[in-house]
Amino acid sequence: MKTLNDHLAQYAAYHRDPRNIQTHFIGVPMIMLGVTVLLSRPEWSWGGGVPMSPAVLAALASCAFYARLDLRYASVMAVVLAAMVAVGHWLAGQSTALWLGAGVGLFAVGWVIQFVGHFYEGRKPAFVDDLVGLLIGPLFVVAELGFALGLRRSVQDAVHERSGPVRLRVGTQRG
């Protein structure tokens, strides 16, 4: 079973250009929110009137995956996902046009931003080789934000040791 460092290092290997990492800070949350919005319908009540939807089920399953890797990161992801589920729940209660437009729009624009980042990187997205990358992408963004704030240096060192340093990719030289 892969560890937190295994997953982050494998994902980071596809993301060593700082411009690509920066696009992920915008694109990944947009994609996550778009998916959450779209999965917020249908909605039903569970137990004492607690709203339930495919978005809630997906968020719970994701949090369980993250908790298996690291409880601190899982806690941050739970807060992020709870906020997204709340937004998705609100949008699901709006008109179909608003709900669908917001969900599809966020999803599509988020992917455009991602592909711009991978153009800079000169490499395909990680999920093309491993679908688990779709779950690791949001965790990578949280980890990179923490690294920028000086948190979890041991994780950062382990990831950089295995995936190499972040560096600006420049065009290939012709000789």
Side-chain angles (χ1 to χ4, degrees), residues 26-41 55 84 87-112:
I26 299 166
V28 168
M30 288 179 76
I31 294 165
M32 285 177 61
L33 184 55
V35 168
T36 303
V37 167
L38 293 170
L39 292 178
S40 291
R41 280 191 187 178
M84 289 188 176
V87 171
H89 170 75
W90 180 82
L91 281 166
Q94 306 306 309
S95 70
T96 299
L98 179 58
W99 162 74
L100 194 56
V104 170
L106 285 162
F107 184 81
V109 172
W111 276 113
V112 168

Side-chain angles (χ1 to χ4, degrees), residues 131-152:
L131 286 176
V132 176
L134 293 170
L135 280 172
I136 299 301
L139 185 61
F140 174 79
V141 170
V142 167
E144 286 292 325
L145 179 60
F147 300 161
L149 295 172
L151 304 172
R152 306 295 301 266

Side-chain angles (χ1 to χ4, degrees), residues 61-146:
S62 297
C63 286
F65 173 77
Y66 297 136
R68 187 187 65 76
L69 296 177
D70 185 274
L71 291 177
R72 288 181 277 180
Y73 282 128
S75 298
V76 174
M77 291 305 300
V79 170
V80 169
L81 287 166
M84 289 188 176
V85 166
V87 171
H89 170 75
W90 180 82
L91 281 166
Q94 306 306 309
S95 70
T96 299
L98 179 58
W99 162 74
L100 194 56
V104 170
L106 285 162
F107 184 81
V109 172
W111 276 113
V112 168
I113 292 168
Q114 290 299 95
F115 287 121
V116 167
H118 281 282
F119 171 79
Y120 289 131
E121 185 78 37
R123 189 158 187 201
K124 63 189 170 188
F127 78 88
V128 173
D129 291 330
D130 184 0
L131 286 176
V132 176
L134 293 170
L135 280 172
I136 299 301
L139 185 61
F140 174 79
V141 170
V142 167
E144 286 292 325
L145 179 60

